[in-house]
Amino acid sequence: MTPHALITGGQQGIGLGIASVLADAGWQVTLAAEAAPESGAVVDALAQLGPNARYIRHDLSDLNGIGALLDQAGPITTYVSNAGVPARVRGDMLDLLPENYDFTMDINLRGAFFLAQAVARNLLVQPVDPYRSMLFVTSASAEMVSVERAEYCLSKAGAAMMAKLFAVRLAQAGIGVFELRPGIIASPMTAGVQDSYTPRIEAGLVPARRWGMPGDIGQAVLPLARGDMQFATGAVIPLDGGLSIPRL
């Protein structure tokens, strides 16, 4: 069986970086997001990824659509939980509105959990060869505080625990589960803050003194998805150029 990855939010940014590396390594890749199939991002992604890639439209907050998504995707060996939304409004957490909190949580945590739950059930009945894996793309914000986007930090902290829970539940079945924690990555999500972050990055906020790129995340995914680090299941992989290392 050719390894097959289902990647949420795979049509752009980090998700596309992951999809590109896996496709180049021989994976069949299925991208899932809420964007229209005829949108520029989707068309461009499929053209870049080649004939072993396809796209399924899916709204992560729609739990009723999970069954149809997985039926269309067919058997998979690798699941990458990557899709997510930023805070709707950056500002004082004391002014955070319940509807904005719920919007972020419905997608980043509630939707992500129940799709992962359904994927895990499917993986348990797949053959053990090729290697089966689940990878959760969270954020340095799972641990690092940004008071102007509290709901995003809370959702990523919850997603970090989600990865641990699935790792323990699936370890006996030989399904590897890993958490990837990107830092400041150049993507559509961060385009609006590029001008404000670039001088801070160059001044040392990120010890590597550069923006992270989607391909940086993809290169880390490949050995995890391939099974090179099976006994490290549950590991948290920081991908942030040293951003999250405590310093004096």
Side-chain angles (χ1 to χ4, degrees):
M1 177 181 177
T2 301
H4 177 196
L6 172 63
I7 305 167
T8 61
Q11 84 285 7
Q12 63 183 7
I14 289 174
L16 181 55
I18 293 170
S20 297
V21 171
L22 292 180
D24 287 346
W27 259 255
Q28 177 185 347
V29 293
T30 296
L31 316 178
E34 66 172 348
E38 64 273 13
S39 67
V42 174
V43 171
D44 291 347
L46 293 177
Q48 174 183 325
L49 295 171
N52 287 330
R54 58 179 175 153
Y55 179 79
I56 301 171
R57 191 173 192 178
H58 174 70
D59 180 352
L60 198 59
S61 65
D62 178 16
L63 303 189
N64 293 326
I66 290 175
L69 168 64
L70 296 184
D71 285 345
Q72 291 180 70
I76 64 171
T77 59
T78 304
Y79 173 61
V80 182
S81 178
N82 166 74
V85 293
R88 265 182 168 173
V89 179
R90 285 177 175 247
D92 189 345
M93 61 183 284
L94 301 185
D95 297 324
L96 175 60
L97 298 175
E99 55 265 34
N100 289 340
Y101 177 95
D102 291 344
F103 171 77
T104 299
M105 288 295 180
D106 280 351
I107 296 171
N108 293 1
L109 202 54
R110 184 173 182 266
F113 174 81
F114 284 105
L115 177 52
Q117 179 193 67
V119 168
R121 290 170 176 160
N122 285 1
L123 288 177
L124 284 170
V125 299
Q126 297 301 324
V128 298
D129 184 23
Y131 178 70
R132 299 158 297 165
S133 59
M134 298 179 70
L135 300 105
F136 292 84
V137 180
T138 64
S139 168
S141 295
E143 184 175 355
M144 301 180 74
V145 168
S146 296
V147 295
E148 74 280 3
R149 50 196 185 112
E151 68 273 46
Y152 181 78
C153 294
L154 286 165
S155 73
K156 292 303 181 179
M161 176 55 71
M162 188 192 316
K164 291 179 175 63
L165 289 163
F166 278 104
V168 171
R169 176 62 180 83
L170 300 176
Q172 188 174 2
I175 299 170
V177 180
F178 303 93
E179 180 194 348
L180 306 171
R181 284 191 184 175
I184 306 172
I185 309 297
S187 72
M189 184 180 286
T190 57
V193 296
Q194 183 174 358
D195 290 345
S196 61
Y197 269 99
T198 295
R200 297 178 64 196
I201 291 170
E202 293 174 348
L205 173 66
V206 176
R209 295 180 185 257
R210 71 168 177 88
W211 281 80
M213 303 305 294
D216 292 323
I217 315 303
Q219 290 296 333
V221 163
L222 182 58
L224 301 173
R226 194 167 50 200
D228 295 355
M229 299 176 64
Q230 295 185 29
F231 205 59
T233 190
V236 179
I237 316 294
L239 298 163
D240 59 14
L243 169 69
S244 59
I245 299 173
R247 288 164 283 169
L248 290 174

